[in-house]
Amino acid sequence: MKIIIIGGVAGGATAATRLRRLNEKAEIIILERGGFVSFANCGLPYYIGGTITEKEKLTVETPKGFRDKFNIDVRVENEVISIDPERKILKVNELATGREYEESYDELLLSPGAEPVRPPLEGIDRENVFTLRNIPDTMRMDTFIKMNNPATAVVVGGGNIGVEMAENLTEKGIKVTIVEMADHLIAPLDPDMASDVHNYIRAKGIRLYLGSGVTAIGEGKVLTDKEEIPADMVLMSVGTKPETALAQSCGVEVNAKGSIIVDERMHTSVPHIYAVGDAVEVEHFVTEEPTSIQLAGPANKQGRIAADNIAGYDSIYTGSQGSAILKVFDMTVASTGLSEKQAKSAGIDYDKVYTFLAPHASYYPGGTNMSMKVIWDKKTEKIIGAQIVGYEGVDKRMDVLATAMRFGGKVTDLTKLELCYAPPFGSAKDPVNIVGYAAENIISGKVKQYFWDDVADLPRDGSVSLIDIRTPEETAGGMIDGYVNIPWVEIRKRLDEIPKDKPVYLSCTSGLKSYNVSRILTGLGYDCYNLAGGYRLYSSIMKDK
């Protein structure tokens, strides 16, 4: 059997080595247009920032390594220019010499990836304008910084790469501005959870222009629809598009956005041609609808599954849920599944809970609270999405939530998880358990919630009681307009100040103490509502506006 793989990096390289482990006799060839077949594209921003200091560290495997370790023939700088699926013949251009040659195959795997979008802006081709996809892009940017010592940079686009690059350019001493057309950074987050990120990034000296688009790139500046921004260099990070022209030219079916349509075994519409990675359309694990999720983890899994099927082993891909994590200076941002916005768009009747908890026992030194948001389907109670913004311990909790979600767990099942505990690492009731307890209280009707965006519409005419149950020391830092402070330890003594015939809307720092007060008052016959996420979340959102 002769197998040719077009493109390396995550999906193609994984498929090649898996195929070798499954079939020692197969002839396996990787044809890679670029000069590097397997490199750490997720590590590129950290080379720019100086965390990764050696270029060689970015190369996961070399052509020689593939040959020596796996007996795989890797040909870099060899571009496939046509595919004849009837004859099962490729035409290849050896870029170094210009020589064209043909190569036959029995099975073909496409792993072309996605290329950065370059919008048709005036000035987009200036030498100080960059995209970041591969090692040559990285070296070009690094050389420019070393040669020109830029003082200012504009990052156009606030996705993961854009935010990572903003951090790493800042670490180089460059004054950075992010321009993002949406109303918040990091699309998988909801705006409420993005507020903490925005406030933190601004505190690090990065300017944010949200809801703003770039109209042109001039000499030493970027023009937006609002104002002019100084820019000695510009990074375009406005998204990617699947690189599928070659696939389309041989009749492979694609969707409206150009992504290759594959089945659960990674077959394309053309016999003997498979496809994996950022260029393919996949099924979303939650909605079961077609989507594009461009992450290294799914690409690796798809490469393995394609290899299994090429080698004669039945293997299926069960969908992508979009589990992702991002370092922002000392902050960690993680998400999985659907955001609230996506759940609404999918027509799912959902509910949500917010918690704000320490990553380990509160009496153990260190540890900063994590802001957690978990969304579930009201009908099935299954977890459909989660977002966490914090510092220590974020990755651990998101991995637990992503795993529970993958195995069809209900949000109330989180109460049953027996997770590791010692004071330096967690709590006897882990933050993940607490999410389950809080959701269980909501589902069972023990507590009724209201949300930050309900606050402005609450009447201030005395028809409802608005009570902040924090201590006077806590409220000295600010209160929501119209709320009255009754510290929670004084509630039972001051019941005469709370009319029983009016709904009571409670607020505390995180929603935990006000939940306790809600149970006290509910037990006494009051109609109580608890502010989800508390004043801390509310004030973060208001500060961000």
Side-chain angles (χ1 to χ4, degrees), residues 272-312:
H272 305 287
I273 300 180
Y274 297 74
V276 299
D278 291 352
V280 305
E281 174 188 273
V282 296
E283 180 182 281
H284 196 286
F285 176 72
V286 177
T287 65
E288 299 181 351
E289 294 295 324
T291 189
S292 174
I293 294 179
Q294 297 178 348
L295 294 168
N300 274 281
K301 293 176 181 65
Q302 292 158 20
R304 182 183 177 91
I305 287 164
D308 285 353
N309 285 290
I310 290 170

Side-chain angles (χ1 to χ4, degrees), residues 46 54 85 91 192 263 331 366 405 443 455 471 509 544:
Y46 301 101
E54 300 173 43
K91 184 177 286 187
D192 48 14
D263 64 14
M331 178 178 273
M405 182 175 150
I443 292 168
V455 170
T471 65
T509 299
D544 186 35

